[in-house]
Amino acid sequence: MYIPNSSFFPLIIVALPLLYWAFNFRKQTKLAFYVHDYLSGHDTSAITVAGKDGPQTSVLSFGTIIAVDDPVTEGPDLNSKLIGRAQGMYINSQLDGKGLHLMFSIIFTDGIYKGSTLEIQGADLFAMKEREFSIVSGTGYFRFVRGYGIMTTHFIDIPNLKAILKLDVTVNHY
């Protein structure tokens, strides 16, 4: 049995991490956009699909499931440039009704990320000023993405169940 020259082995141990570092072409992308979540009015983009009292259950009640197809814009005004849709659902998952679990896709329909998606999952304790969530996947430009986001409430109208959320997203991808 042939045993390699012992001076060659340390060279491999040093070279492999250096090669990995030199050819690791990971990119970081930072985005900011606004999600318009309206459960009432002529521009409704979210509806209750299940809850303890059926579809009339308030989003503020534990166990309520909401389906969303919210506009995503560059700025906080609904008339600012539409860059995509937030499609998926959230569930009121906190017994006192003050916390949601989010599961939705940001589907980019315009701009440089058109045709790409980001998959978002995490808690939304909406009484907090800032909430952190996970970016667990993506497609297109964001293939193999991992990251996080910070959600803040830009505007909220609880009696009319309307909110504008700002999402600041940081993702690493190849």
Side-chain angles (χ1 to χ4, degrees):
M1 175 182 225
Y2 174 73
I3 299 175
N5 185 338
S6 62
S7 63
F8 183 69
F9 186 69
L11 180 62
I12 291 175
I13 297 298
V14 170
L16 286 178
L18 288 174
L19 287 171
Y20 176 79
W21 176 78
F23 292 103
N24 188 0
F25 297 109
R26 192 180 321 194
K27 298 179 273 189
Q28 185 175 80
T29 302
K30 294 185 178 195
L31 304 166
F33 47 82
Y34 293 82
V35 175
H36 301 259
D37 191 40
Y38 300 159
L39 278 103
S40 68
H42 71 283
D43 50 2
T44 297
S45 60
I47 61 166
T48 301
V49 294
K52 67 179 183 170
D53 298 322
Q56 279 63 47
T57 304
S58 167
V59 66
L60 302 175
S61 296
F62 175 70
T64 305
I65 299 173
I66 307 293
V68 299
D69 184 9
D70 295 338
V72 176
T73 61
E74 284 184 342
D77 189 293
L78 190 54
N79 294 320
S80 65
K81 184 177 179 183
L82 181 70
I83 58 170
R85 306 294 295 188
Q87 296 177 340
M89 69 173 115
Y90 50 89
I91 301 169
N92 192 313
S93 57
Q94 192 166 315
L95 284 173
D96 65 4
K98 295 180 182 175
L100 305 173
H101 183 77
L102 310 170
M103 298 160 286
F104 61 89
S105 303
I106 300 293
I107 302 167
F108 292 95
T109 58
D110 199 6
I112 61 172
Y113 306 119
K114 181 178 181 177
S116 299
T117 67
L118 289 173
E119 302 302 319
I120 292 175
Q121 182 175 335
D124 178 6
L125 306 175
F126 50 84
M128 295 175 61
K129 180 179 177 170
E130 291 186 343
R131 291 89 72 194
E132 189 168 326
F133 56 87
S134 299
I135 308 292
V136 297
S137 185
T139 64
Y141 183 81
F142 299 112
R143 191 173 296 132
F144 295 115
V145 74
R146 283 191 298 192
Y148 72 97
I150 303 292
M151 181 185 309
T152 55
T153 303
H154 178 78
F155 167 81
I156 191 161
D157 177 0
I158 292 176
N160 292 308
L161 299 174
K162 295 184 177 216
I164 300 172
L165 308 168
K166 181 179 183 189
L167 279 63
D168 288 297
V169 171
T170 302
V171 293
N172 293 319
H173 53 103
Y174 298 95

